[in-house]
Amino acid sequence: MLGTQWIVKTLKEKGVTTVFGYPGGQIMPLYDALYDGGIEHVLCRHEQGAAMAAIGYARATGKTGVCIATSGPGATNIITGLADALIDSVPIVAITGQVPNNLIGTDAFQEVDVLGLSLACTKHSYLIDNAHDLPNIFEEAFTLANSGRPGPILIDVPKDIQLADLDYQQYLTNHTSQSYLNKSKSFVISSDDIKLTKAMIQDAKKPMLYIGGGVGLSGAISELRQFMEMTQIPSVSTLKGLGAADINNPYYLGLIGMHGSKAANLAVQECDLLIALGVRFDDRVTGNLNEFARHAKVIHIDIDQAEINKLKQTHLGLQGDIKQVLPLIHQTVSIEDWHKRIDQLRKAYPTRYDHPGEPIYAPALLKSLSEQKTATTIVTTDVGQHQMWTAQHMQFNHPQNFITSSGLGTMGFGLPAAIGAQLARPNDCVICISGDGSFMMNVQELTTIKRKKLPIKIVLIDNQRLGMVRQWQELFFNQRYSETNLSDNPDFLMLAKAFDIDGQKITQKSEIQRAIDTLLNSTGAYLLHVCIDELENVWPLVPPGAANENMLDNNSKE
């Protein structure tokens, strides 16, 4: 068979039912094979949209997302999506067309060294220069994408390789390094380290769980919640860790970091033992790293050895699968005084929604939306103030139900990610929460929603500004508002209507309840255009370079 037919055969064997892409000259043979190949292809209207839809698909299911692009500009357009998948550890296989091997290096039409470009933003990259290698490379790519710490894999396939007519089965040797696979699937943690871990937990007077995205990637949701219930150790979550913890646990304090709750940040600053589960000690979480949890011993559990001691020096680092490790370290603790302190912090710094006047207060709207959505609803966001408000004021019962660009912070992520999530889980409600800046970044994907008749709900929070940048300009750049005014935005309802999407615009608190009801009860796609004050800020906020206890809020702004 042709190389492209083997690729389609392999995709089907790997359980791939849906791929996202955009055709072009050097990938045309693969599209010919897809024509009647039995795999759903979703035509996105920009290759970046295809990559981010694949991310949404993967994050909503735990499966491998697949995106396809042609050579040159098609391939370069997926680079941002690959970077997003790398930093958020999402299993993606990206297939790009390339000029024939005899033209590589000649500056041929639409030739770009995508292998070189991708090295910094993929877990692994391939350029196939021999058709005999095609079967094993595709086998290895799917294995690498999902083993150990997941991540994106790029396969650059020259046109002559796609058209090579061979008996590919004879070249399939499954030659993926067995030692690598063994290392990535099973870890041996010494009994001494387990005993030391349990002793450190038992001795702690103020322990805290610091929950990251690795918990969800490990599939350790139930193990984490059992650990929380048995130990009653207080806990906080990173942005990507949201949804993993039991939100009804009385000692769960929610989001930590730059826009985390005061109670969460202060508890971590006071703790004497920090148990870090699948985290990166990201700067947006830690603030001043030297001051972060400065009184605490640190136990760091992670599947990726490179993360242990990368930033924060640990007292004990355990490389392993969190799902396997957590049941081994259950330990009864006596921390009644610490529980009382956690209760004090929670009561001292409650979330308030008593916003004056009739203009809409986005946190209150999002809280109401959170209370009315179903338990299986998926929420995607773009990046900016609306993203932080969503993380602060909405609740999620599983990481697969909250999909946001956590590490890269990619504007334009939310809409294509929602498309991927909706196609992955067609029976669940999908809500994309966006801002007027981010929404315009991949607005062309409204066409994909129209074509596929996807019932995606869009909540567009519009302050006619690049809100987060404007907030920083207000606080840290002497109110010099450089290029953050978006008052020339289009009429968003008219724009949506051009894609056969109904919607409404609201400006007052009194309109919120009816609007949410209409949004959630709509049978097709729907746009809720929410107008808010341009000067609204996200609080609290840890200033850059400050320790996490030095948070600003609306009362300390001056």
Side-chain angles (χ1 to χ4, degrees):
M1 60 175 64
L2 299 180
T4 54
Q5 294 172 320
W6 183 269
I7 292 171
V8 172
K9 174 179 178 292
T10 301
L11 293 177
K12 293 170 74 172
E13 289 174 351
K14 298 301 178 185
V16 176
T17 57
T18 303
V19 298
F20 305 87
Y22 201 96
Q26 302 301 340
I27 199 66
M28 212 175 296
L30 179 55
Y31 273 82
D32 186 65
L34 286 169
Y35 180 79
D36 53 3
I39 293 175
E40 179 187 25
H41 178 277
V42 178
L43 179 68
C44 296
R45 295 309 174 94
H46 192 287
E47 292 88 352
Q48 184 183 108
M52 292 175 183
I55 292 172
Y57 185 96
R59 287 184 59 175
T61 60
K63 299 178 181 178
T64 302
V66 177
C67 60
I68 302 172
T70 193
S71 64
T76 60
N77 279 343
I78 69 170
I79 291 294
T80 300
L82 295 177
D84 194 283
L86 180 68
I87 200 165
D88 279 348
S89 304
V90 184
I92 297 294
V93 172
I95 305 169
T96 53
Q98 183 55 277
V99 300
N101 272 290
N102 67 322
L103 292 180
I104 291 177
T106 68
D107 295 329
F109 177 67
Q110 291 192 333
E111 181 200 356
V112 169
D113 177 14
V114 67
L115 177 71
L117 284 172
S118 68
L119 292 177
C121 59
T122 57
K123 186 177 179 181
H124 197 71
S125 298
Y126 301 90
L127 170 61
I128 304 179
D129 58 7
N130 188 323
H132 298 174
D133 296 332
L134 186 147
N136 291 312
I137 283 176
F138 269 82
E139 286 290 325
E140 187 172 270
F142 276 86
T143 300
L144 294 179
N146 288 280
S147 58
R149 180 177 180 173
I153 309 295
L154 179 130
I155 310 174
D156 201 26
V157 191
K159 195 170 187 178
D160 58 313
I161 303 295
Q162 297 177 52
L163 294 171
D165 192 351
L166 295 172
D167 177 7
Y168 286 97
Q169 188 68 44
Q170 67 175 312
Y171 300 108
L172 181 62
T173 61
N174 295 314
H175 76 299
T176 302
S177 169
Q178 195 60 44
S179 63
Y180 174 85
L181 293 180
N182 289 340
K183 183 179 179 181
S184 67
K185 289 181 178 179
S186 61
F187 301 88
V188 178
I189 298 175
S190 72
S191 59
D192 288 343
D193 281 344
I194 295 297
K195 289 177 182 177
L196 179 56
T197 302
K198 296 177 75 170
M200 291 174 69
I201 294 173
Q202 186 174 38
D203 292 343
K205 303 301 181 187
K206 300 178 180 181
M208 288 292 301
L209 291 175
Y210 166 27
I211 301 165
V215 174
L217 293 173
S218 175
I221 308 301
S222 62
E223 287 79 7
L224 171 68
R225 293 177 182 178
Q226 289 172 15
F227 187 88
M228 292 173 63
E229 182 179 357
M230 292 180 66
T231 65
Q232 292 297 303
I233 294 176
S235 57
V236 297
S237 286
T238 67
L239 183 62
K240 194 161 183 283
L242 292 173
D246 178 4
I247 57 177
N248 296 313
N249 185 289
Y251 305 113
Y252 174 62
L253 296 175
L255 185 68
I256 184 181
M258 178 173 283
H259 294 294
S261 73
K262 281 195 171 185
N265 279 335
L266 291 174
V268 170
Q269 292 301 90
E270 294 180 18
C271 76
D272 63 2
L273 177 66
L274 187 67
I275 305 170
L277 303 174
V279 301
R280 297 186 295 112
F281 288 92
D282 179 79
D283 61 291
R284 289 296 176 101
V285 169
T286 67
N288 185 324
L289 184 62
N290 292 329
E291 297 295 316
F292 180 68
R294 56 184 173 271
H295 305 299
K297 294 180 179 179
V298 177
I299 299 172
H300 189 178
I301 305 172
D302 204 289
I303 203 166
D304 186 357
Q305 181 64 44
E307 289 296 341
I308 298 174
N309 292 316
K310 184 180 81 174
L311 293 172
K312 185 74 172 177
Q313 292 301 300
T314 65
H315 295 76
L316 180 60
L318 303 177
Q319 184 190 10
D321 187 331
I322 295 168
K323 187 178 181 68
Q324 299 171 6
V325 175
L326 274 178
L328 302 177
I329 62 172
H330 284 179
Q331 181 62 49
T332 303
V333 292
S334 179
I335 50 174
E336 289 80 7
D337 289 343
W338 183 227
H339 285 163
K340 291 177 182 178
R341 175 58 177 157
I342 296 297
D343 288 337
Q344 289 175 353
L345 290 172
R346 190 194 299 276
K347 292 174 182 176
Y349 303 106
T351 302
R352 297 182 59 177
Y353 297 98
D354 52 341
H355 182 264
E358 268 304 300
I360 292 171
Y361 184 47
L365 178 143
L366 292 170
K367 179 177 182 290
S368 295
L369 179 61
S370 180
E371 291 169 347
Q372 294 174 67
K373 68 178 176 63
T374 63
T376 59
T377 294
I378 302 168
V379 173
T380 73
T381 79
D382 275 292
V383 171
Q385 289 180 316
H386 69 275
Q387 177 192 33
M388 293 297 101
W389 283 325
T390 300
Q392 291 174 330
H393 304 288
M394 297 190 74
Q395 294 186 330
F396 307 95
N397 63 3
H398 198 286
Q400 291 179 350
N401 294 338
F402 178 51
I403 302 173
T404 191
S405 177
S406 302
L408 195 64
T410 309
M411 294 177 68
F413 175 86
L415 193 61
I419 289 170
Q422 186 71 84
L423 285 161
R425 290 164 53 182
N427 296 323
D428 290 329
C429 177
V430 176
I431 303 172
C432 172
I433 299 173
S434 189
D436 51 316
S438 289
F439 186 66
M440 296 298 291
M441 288 276 190
N442 271 318
V443 69
Q444 78 283 339
E445 298 310 327
L446 291 175
T447 309
T448 310
I449 292 176
K450 175 183 176 181
R451 171 176 284 218
K452 302 299 292 185
K453 295 181 172 58
L454 301 176
I456 292 170
K457 321 305 178 192
I458 302 167
V459 178
L460 178 56
I461 298 178
D462 178 11
N463 57 8
Q464 298 195 347
R465 297 293 184 273
L466 288 175
M468 190 63 82
V469 181
R470 185 214 58 78
Q471 177 172 341
W472 278 55
Q473 289 173 340
E474 175 189 344
L475 298 176
F476 309 122
F477 290 88
N478 299 315
Q479 300 181 20
R480 292 163 60 86
Y481 299 119
S482 179
E483 298 303 321
T484 50
N485 188 319
L486 303 181
S487 57
D488 55 354
N489 278 328
D491 182 326
F492 288 115
L493 292 184
M494 185 180 295
L495 180 64
K497 196 64 178 175
F499 297 95
D500 298 334
I501 297 173
D502 290 331
Q504 66 174 304
K505 176 180 178 178
I506 60 174
T507 61
Q508 304 292 312
K509 288 187 176 83
S510 58
E511 300 172 294
I512 289 176
Q513 186 55 57
R514 180 176 293 180
I516 290 177
D517 289 342
T518 303
L519 175 82
L520 295 178
N521 291 319
S522 60
T523 56
Y526 195 87
L527 173 70
L528 178 58
H529 181 194
V530 182
C531 297
I532 66 170
D533 191 289
E534 67 190 61
L535 297 179
E536 288 289 355
N537 288 331
V538 180
W539 304 112
L541 181 150
V542 178
N548 276 0
E549 67 263 29
N550 296 322
M551 291 166 282
L552 301 179
D553 59 26
N554 199 29
N555 297 321
S556 61
K557 182 171 61 174
E558 289 77 13

